[in-house]
Amino acid sequence: MADGSDSSAKRDGGARSATIDLAELRRRNTPEPVTFRRRELDRILQVYSRMVAEGHWRDYAIDHLRDRAVFSAFRRASEVPLYRIEKDPSRARKQGAFAIISAAGLVLKRGHELETVLKYFDKAPRLVR
């Protein structure tokens, strides 16, 4: 101690101990869930409101999962979703991040741009007599 060194530094080999906040560590190591951006959600809700006005859909749910974001449209809340609009960034380079999936699980439309995928819900022109 004549040289002014601390005895605790000698005991732990010169390394200082630090407290670790486990909640902060988990937040840093846990990836953020995939979410719809504001413009994407606005466009999806435009389609949803049109389908509600036409009487096709009545309820919806939004799920933000680790690997994808899902917008589910229901005829009734107690049923399985009629359609799921999914955003899966892991498929962005291959088939496109956006997809419309039917109640049976079939992929009805997939693409890189949400606008082109949502055109699936546009009605075909009909002859009016």
PDB file of all heavy atoms in Angstrom, residues 4 10 26 32 36 41-42 44-45 51 58-59 67 76 80 83 98 108 113 116-117 120-121:
ATOM      1  N   GLY A   4       0.402   3.263  -3.184  1.00  0.00           N
ATOM      2  CA  GLY A   4      -0.869   3.946  -3.422  1.00  0.00           C
ATOM      3  C   GLY A   4      -1.858   3.118  -4.208  1.00  0.00           C
ATOM      4  O   GLY A   4      -2.895   3.619  -4.597  1.00  0.00           O
ATOM      5  N   LYS A  10      -6.029  -5.451  -6.748  1.00  0.00           N
ATOM      6  CA  LYS A  10      -5.096  -6.573  -6.773  1.00  0.00           C
ATOM      7  C   LYS A  10      -5.844  -7.889  -6.640  1.00  0.00           C
ATOM      8  O   LYS A  10      -5.452  -8.876  -7.226  1.00  0.00           O
ATOM      9  CB  LYS A  10      -4.072  -6.427  -5.637  1.00  0.00           C
ATOM     10  CG  LYS A  10      -3.081  -5.331  -5.884  1.00  0.00           C
ATOM     11  CD  LYS A  10      -2.072  -5.280  -4.788  1.00  0.00           C
ATOM     12  CE  LYS A  10      -1.081  -4.149  -5.030  1.00  0.00           C
ATOM     13  NZ  LYS A  10      -0.103  -4.057  -3.970  1.00  0.00           N
ATOM     14  N   ARG A  26     -31.601  -7.974 -21.981  1.00  0.00           N
ATOM     15  CA  ARG A  26     -32.603  -8.699 -22.768  1.00  0.00           C
ATOM     16  C   ARG A  26     -33.140  -7.832 -23.900  1.00  0.00           C
ATOM     17  O   ARG A  26     -33.378  -8.316 -24.998  1.00  0.00           O
ATOM     18  CB  ARG A  26     -33.754  -9.152 -21.870  1.00  0.00           C
ATOM     19  CG  ARG A  26     -33.406 -10.321 -21.015  1.00  0.00           C
ATOM     20  CD  ARG A  26     -34.619 -10.858 -20.276  1.00  0.00           C
ATOM     21  NE  ARG A  26     -34.190 -11.819 -19.292  1.00  0.00           N
ATOM     22  CZ  ARG A  26     -34.299 -11.660 -17.978  1.00  0.00           C
ATOM     23  NH1 ARG A  26     -34.863 -10.571 -17.488  1.00  0.00           N
ATOM     24  NH2 ARG A  26     -33.876 -12.584 -17.148  1.00  0.00           N
ATOM     25  N   GLU A  32     -36.376  -6.607 -32.341  1.00  0.00           N
ATOM     26  CA  GLU A  32     -37.654  -5.906 -32.361  1.00  0.00           C
ATOM     27  C   GLU A  32     -38.623  -6.674 -33.264  1.00  0.00           C
ATOM     28  O   GLU A  32     -38.215  -7.251 -34.269  1.00  0.00           O
ATOM     29  CB  GLU A  32     -37.472  -4.488 -32.908  1.00  0.00           C
ATOM     30  CG  GLU A  32     -36.702  -3.585 -31.983  1.00  0.00           C
ATOM     31  CD  GLU A  32     -37.477  -3.250 -30.718  1.00  0.00           C
ATOM     32  OE1 GLU A  32     -38.699  -3.026 -30.820  1.00  0.00           O
ATOM     33  OE2 GLU A  32     -36.864  -3.224 -29.651  1.00  0.00           O
ATOM     34  N   PHE A  36     -45.808  -3.034 -39.412  1.00  0.00           N
ATOM     35  CA  PHE A  36     -46.181  -2.311 -40.624  1.00  0.00           C
ATOM     36  C   PHE A  36     -45.795  -0.855 -40.441  1.00  0.00           C
ATOM     37  O   PHE A  36     -45.973  -0.294 -39.365  1.00  0.00           O
ATOM     38  CB  PHE A  36     -47.691  -2.393 -40.868  1.00  0.00           C
ATOM     39  CG  PHE A  36     -48.176  -3.746 -41.273  1.00  0.00           C
ATOM     40  CD1 PHE A  36     -48.910  -4.523 -40.398  1.00  0.00           C
ATOM     41  CD2 PHE A  36     -47.911  -4.250 -42.531  1.00  0.00           C
ATOM     42  CE1 PHE A  36     -49.374  -5.763 -40.759  1.00  0.00           C
ATOM     43  CE2 PHE A  36     -48.365  -5.497 -42.907  1.00  0.00           C
ATOM     44  CZ  PHE A  36     -49.100  -6.254 -42.016  1.00  0.00           C
ATOM     45  N   LEU A  41     -49.799   0.599 -43.307  1.00  0.00           N
ATOM     46  CA  LEU A  41     -51.010   0.381 -42.527  1.00  0.00           C
ATOM     47  C   LEU A  41     -52.154   1.255 -43.024  1.00  0.00           C
ATOM     48  O   LEU A  41     -53.309   0.802 -43.083  1.00  0.00           O
ATOM     49  CB  LEU A  41     -50.732   0.649 -41.046  1.00  0.00           C
ATOM     50  CG  LEU A  41     -51.794   0.180 -40.076  1.00  0.00           C
ATOM     51  CD1 LEU A  41     -52.053  -1.307 -40.222  1.00  0.00           C
ATOM     52  CD2 LEU A  41     -51.378   0.497 -38.662  1.00  0.00           C
ATOM     53  N   ASP A  42     -51.865   2.476 -43.431  1.00  0.00           N
ATOM     54  CA  ASP A  42     -52.899   3.348 -44.005  1.00  0.00           C
ATOM     55  C   ASP A  42     -53.521   2.716 -45.247  1.00  0.00           C
ATOM     56  O   ASP A  42     -54.743   2.705 -45.412  1.00  0.00           O
ATOM     57  CB  ASP A  42     -52.330   4.717 -44.363  1.00  0.00           C
ATOM     58  CG  ASP A  42     -52.104   5.609 -43.162  1.00  0.00           C
ATOM     59  OD1 ASP A  42     -52.658   5.304 -42.082  1.00  0.00           O
ATOM     60  OD2 ASP A  42     -51.368   6.602 -43.306  1.00  0.00           O
ATOM     61  N   ILE A  44     -53.543  -0.487 -46.109  1.00  0.00           N
ATOM     62  CA  ILE A  44     -54.292  -1.690 -45.727  1.00  0.00           C
ATOM     63  C   ILE A  44     -55.644  -1.302 -45.134  1.00  0.00           C
ATOM     64  O   ILE A  44     -56.673  -1.911 -45.447  1.00  0.00           O
ATOM     65  CB  ILE A  44     -53.478  -2.549 -44.742  1.00  0.00           C
ATOM     66  CG1 ILE A  44     -52.259  -3.159 -45.448  1.00  0.00           C
ATOM     67  CG2 ILE A  44     -54.336  -3.654 -44.133  1.00  0.00           C
ATOM     68  CD1 ILE A  44     -51.276  -3.820 -44.514  1.00  0.00           C
ATOM     69  N   LEU A  45     -55.665  -0.279 -44.303  1.00  0.00           N
ATOM     70  CA  LEU A  45     -56.920   0.151 -43.688  1.00  0.00           C
ATOM     71  C   LEU A  45     -57.877   0.779 -44.698  1.00  0.00           C
ATOM     72  O   LEU A  45     -59.094   0.721 -44.522  1.00  0.00           O
ATOM     73  CB  LEU A  45     -56.647   1.104 -42.530  1.00  0.00           C
ATOM     74  CG  LEU A  45     -56.041   0.436 -41.291  1.00  0.00           C
ATOM     75  CD1 LEU A  45     -55.660   1.478 -40.252  1.00  0.00           C
ATOM     76  CD2 LEU A  45     -56.973  -0.603 -40.707  1.00  0.00           C
ATOM     77  N   MET A  51     -63.924  -2.778 -47.875  1.00  0.00           N
ATOM     78  CA  MET A  51     -64.531  -4.106 -47.755  1.00  0.00           C
ATOM     79  C   MET A  51     -65.605  -4.126 -46.659  1.00  0.00           C
ATOM     80  O   MET A  51     -66.598  -4.847 -46.782  1.00  0.00           O
ATOM     81  CB  MET A  51     -63.460  -5.151 -47.482  1.00  0.00           C
ATOM     82  CG  MET A  51     -62.445  -5.281 -48.610  1.00  0.00           C
ATOM     83  SD  MET A  51     -63.163  -5.700 -50.189  1.00  0.00           S
ATOM     84  CE  MET A  51     -63.166  -7.462 -50.078  1.00  0.00           C
ATOM     85  N   ARG A  58     -65.898  -7.613 -41.260  1.00  0.00           N
ATOM     86  CA  ARG A  58     -66.452  -6.913 -40.098  1.00  0.00           C
ATOM     87  C   ARG A  58     -65.450  -6.665 -38.983  1.00  0.00           C
ATOM     88  O   ARG A  58     -65.714  -5.875 -38.092  1.00  0.00           O
ATOM     89  CB  ARG A  58     -67.619  -7.698 -39.515  1.00  0.00           C
ATOM     90  CG  ARG A  58     -68.812  -7.698 -40.407  1.00  0.00           C
ATOM     91  CD  ARG A  58     -69.988  -8.212 -39.683  1.00  0.00           C
ATOM     92  NE  ARG A  58     -71.134  -8.176 -40.584  1.00  0.00           N
ATOM     93  CZ  ARG A  58     -72.304  -8.597 -40.254  1.00  0.00           C
ATOM     94  NH1 ARG A  58     -72.529  -9.092 -39.065  1.00  0.00           N
ATOM     95  NH2 ARG A  58     -73.292  -8.521 -41.118  1.00  0.00           N
ATOM     96  N   ASP A  59     -64.352  -7.366 -38.989  1.00  0.00           N
ATOM     97  CA  ASP A  59     -63.391  -7.243 -37.889  1.00  0.00           C
ATOM     98  C   ASP A  59     -61.987  -7.475 -38.422  1.00  0.00           C
ATOM     99  O   ASP A  59     -61.806  -8.057 -39.492  1.00  0.00           O
ATOM    100  CB  ASP A  59     -63.723  -8.261 -36.795  1.00  0.00           C
ATOM    101  CG  ASP A  59     -63.126  -7.890 -35.448  1.00  0.00           C
ATOM    102  OD1 ASP A  59     -62.578  -6.774 -35.323  1.00  0.00           O
ATOM    103  OD2 ASP A  59     -63.203  -8.705 -34.524  1.00  0.00           O
ATOM    104  N   ASP A  67     -40.831 -12.541 -36.643  1.00  0.00           N
ATOM    105  CA  ASP A  67     -40.421 -12.766 -38.022  1.00  0.00           C
ATOM    106  C   ASP A  67     -41.333 -12.128 -39.061  1.00  0.00           C
ATOM    107  O   ASP A  67     -40.970 -12.003 -40.219  1.00  0.00           O
ATOM    108  CB  ASP A  67     -40.296 -14.261 -38.308  1.00  0.00           C
ATOM    109  CG  ASP A  67     -41.606 -15.004 -38.071  1.00  0.00           C
ATOM    110  OD1 ASP A  67     -42.453 -14.500 -37.325  1.00  0.00           O
ATOM    111  OD2 ASP A  67     -41.763 -16.105 -38.642  1.00  0.00           O
ATOM    112  N   ARG A  76     -66.577 -12.580 -39.201  1.00  0.00           N
ATOM    113  CA  ARG A  76     -67.045 -12.484 -37.818  1.00  0.00           C
ATOM    114  C   ARG A  76     -65.840 -12.730 -36.919  1.00  0.00           C
ATOM    115  O   ARG A  76     -64.959 -13.504 -37.254  1.00  0.00           O
ATOM    116  CB  ARG A  76     -68.123 -13.524 -37.527  1.00  0.00           C
ATOM    117  CG  ARG A  76     -69.411 -13.248 -38.251  1.00  0.00           C
ATOM    118  CD  ARG A  76     -70.474 -14.276 -37.912  1.00  0.00           C
ATOM    119  NE  ARG A  76     -71.581 -14.174 -38.852  1.00  0.00           N
ATOM    120  CZ  ARG A  76     -71.627 -14.782 -40.031  1.00  0.00           C
ATOM    121  NH1 ARG A  76     -70.634 -15.538 -40.417  1.00  0.00           N
ATOM    122  NH2 ARG A  76     -72.654 -14.625 -40.819  1.00  0.00           N
ATOM    123  N   VAL A  80     -62.223 -18.007 -38.255  1.00  0.00           N
ATOM    124  CA  VAL A  80     -60.842 -17.870 -38.721  1.00  0.00           C
ATOM    125  C   VAL A  80     -60.800 -16.704 -39.704  1.00  0.00           C
ATOM    126  O   VAL A  80     -61.815 -16.365 -40.316  1.00  0.00           O
ATOM    127  CB  VAL A  80     -60.336 -19.171 -39.403  1.00  0.00           C
ATOM    128  CG1 VAL A  80     -60.293 -20.301 -38.411  1.00  0.00           C
ATOM    129  CG2 VAL A  80     -61.180 -19.540 -40.592  1.00  0.00           C
ATOM    130  N   TYR A  83     -58.832 -13.519 -44.834  1.00  0.00           N
ATOM    131  CA  TYR A  83     -57.569 -13.196 -45.504  1.00  0.00           C
ATOM    132  C   TYR A  83     -56.562 -12.735 -44.466  1.00  0.00           C
ATOM    133  O   TYR A  83     -56.922 -12.123 -43.465  1.00  0.00           O
ATOM    134  CB  TYR A  83     -57.756 -12.063 -46.531  1.00  0.00           C
ATOM    135  CG  TYR A  83     -58.674 -12.417 -47.661  1.00  0.00           C
ATOM    136  CD1 TYR A  83     -60.001 -11.996 -47.651  1.00  0.00           C
ATOM    137  CD2 TYR A  83     -58.225 -13.169 -48.740  1.00  0.00           C
ATOM    138  CE1 TYR A  83     -60.857 -12.317 -48.686  1.00  0.00           C
ATOM    139  CE2 TYR A  83     -59.071 -13.494 -49.772  1.00  0.00           C
ATOM    140  CZ  TYR A  83     -60.385 -13.067 -49.748  1.00  0.00           C
ATOM    141  OH  TYR A  83     -61.228 -13.385 -50.772  1.00  0.00           O
ATOM    142  N   PHE A  98     -44.436  -8.943 -49.108  1.00  0.00           N
ATOM    143  CA  PHE A  98     -45.866  -8.875 -48.850  1.00  0.00           C
ATOM    144  C   PHE A  98     -46.590 -10.046 -49.499  1.00  0.00           C
ATOM    145  O   PHE A  98     -46.248 -10.457 -50.613  1.00  0.00           O
ATOM    146  CB  PHE A  98     -46.434  -7.554 -49.368  1.00  0.00           C
ATOM    147  CG  PHE A  98     -45.832  -6.367 -48.697  1.00  0.00           C
ATOM    148  CD1 PHE A  98     -44.808  -5.652 -49.306  1.00  0.00           C
ATOM    149  CD2 PHE A  98     -46.254  -5.973 -47.440  1.00  0.00           C
ATOM    150  CE1 PHE A  98     -44.233  -4.561 -48.689  1.00  0.00           C
ATOM    151  CE2 PHE A  98     -45.683  -4.889 -46.810  1.00  0.00           C
ATOM    152  CZ  PHE A  98     -44.669  -4.187 -47.429  1.00  0.00           C
ATOM    153  N   LEU A 108     -52.405 -16.250 -52.217  1.00  0.00           N
ATOM    154  CA  LEU A 108     -53.174 -15.750 -53.347  1.00  0.00           C
ATOM    155  C   LEU A 108     -52.392 -14.754 -54.182  1.00  0.00           C
ATOM    156  O   LEU A 108     -52.552 -14.706 -55.405  1.00  0.00           O
ATOM    157  CB  LEU A 108     -54.466 -15.101 -52.849  1.00  0.00           C
ATOM    158  CG  LEU A 108     -55.370 -16.020 -52.017  1.00  0.00           C
ATOM    159  CD1 LEU A 108     -56.530 -15.223 -51.440  1.00  0.00           C
ATOM    160  CD2 LEU A 108     -55.863 -17.175 -52.860  1.00  0.00           C
ATOM    161  N   GLU A 113     -44.039  -4.944 -53.655  1.00  0.00           N
ATOM    162  CA  GLU A 113     -44.720  -3.694 -53.341  1.00  0.00           C
ATOM    163  C   GLU A 113     -46.114  -3.983 -52.798  1.00  0.00           C
ATOM    164  O   GLU A 113     -46.864  -4.770 -53.379  1.00  0.00           O
ATOM    165  CB  GLU A 113     -44.841  -2.814 -54.592  1.00  0.00           C
ATOM    166  CG  GLU A 113     -43.512  -2.397 -55.170  1.00  0.00           C
ATOM    167  CD  GLU A 113     -42.736  -1.465 -54.259  1.00  0.00           C
ATOM    168  OE1 GLU A 113     -43.381  -0.654 -53.561  1.00  0.00           O
ATOM    169  OE2 GLU A 113     -41.511  -1.566 -54.238  1.00  0.00           O
ATOM    170  N   THR A 116     -49.200  -3.230 -55.278  1.00  0.00           N
ATOM    171  CA  THR A 116     -49.532  -4.231 -56.290  1.00  0.00           C
ATOM    172  C   THR A 116     -50.185  -5.458 -55.663  1.00  0.00           C
ATOM    173  O   THR A 116     -51.062  -6.064 -56.273  1.00  0.00           O
ATOM    174  CB  THR A 116     -48.275  -4.656 -57.080  1.00  0.00           C
ATOM    175  OG1 THR A 116     -47.309  -5.172 -56.175  1.00  0.00           O
ATOM    176  CG2 THR A 116     -47.694  -3.492 -57.837  1.00  0.00           C
ATOM    177  N   VAL A 117     -49.797  -5.812 -54.467  1.00  0.00           N
ATOM    178  CA  VAL A 117     -50.390  -6.963 -53.788  1.00  0.00           C
ATOM    179  C   VAL A 117     -51.838  -6.662 -53.418  1.00  0.00           C
ATOM    180  O   VAL A 117     -52.722  -7.505 -53.594  1.00  0.00           O
ATOM    181  CB  VAL A 117     -49.559  -7.352 -52.539  1.00  0.00           C
ATOM    182  CG1 VAL A 117     -50.255  -8.415 -51.722  1.00  0.00           C
ATOM    183  CG2 VAL A 117     -48.176  -7.833 -52.959  1.00  0.00           C
ATOM    184  N   TYR A 120     -55.233  -7.104 -55.534  1.00  0.00           N
ATOM    185  CA  TYR A 120     -56.000  -8.346 -55.537  1.00  0.00           C
ATOM    186  C   TYR A 120     -57.446  -8.086 -55.107  1.00  0.00           C
ATOM    187  O   TYR A 120     -58.364  -8.744 -55.583  1.00  0.00           O
ATOM    188  CB  TYR A 120     -55.337  -9.365 -54.591  1.00  0.00           C
ATOM    189  CG  TYR A 120     -56.116 -10.643 -54.447  1.00  0.00           C
ATOM    190  CD1 TYR A 120     -56.000 -11.650 -55.389  1.00  0.00           C
ATOM    191  CD2 TYR A 120     -56.998 -10.844 -53.384  1.00  0.00           C
ATOM    192  CE1 TYR A 120     -56.722 -12.822 -55.272  1.00  0.00           C
ATOM    193  CE2 TYR A 120     -57.726 -12.000 -53.262  1.00  0.00           C
ATOM    194  CZ  TYR A 120     -57.588 -12.991 -54.209  1.00  0.00           C
ATOM    195  OH  TYR A 120     -58.311 -14.150 -54.086  1.00  0.00           O
ATOM    196  N   PHE A 121     -57.660  -7.135 -54.224  1.00  0.00           N
ATOM    197  CA  PHE A 121     -58.991  -6.850 -53.706  1.00  0.00           C
ATOM    198  C   PHE A 121     -59.790  -5.876 -54.568  1.00  0.00           C
ATOM    199  O   PHE A 121     -60.950  -5.615 -54.284  1.00  0.00           O
ATOM    200  CB  PHE A 121     -58.900  -6.305 -52.275  1.00  0.00           C
ATOM    201  CG  PHE A 121     -58.332  -7.298 -51.311  1.00  0.00           C
ATOM    202  CD1 PHE A 121     -57.082  -7.096 -50.750  1.00  0.00           C
ATOM    203  CD2 PHE A 121     -59.039  -8.436 -50.968  1.00  0.00           C
ATOM    204  CE1 PHE A 121     -56.548  -8.007 -49.855  1.00  0.00           C
ATOM    205  CE2 PHE A 121     -58.517  -9.364 -50.084  1.00  0.00           C
ATOM    206  CZ  PHE A 121     -57.275  -9.153 -49.527  1.00  0.00           C
TER     207      PHE A 121
END
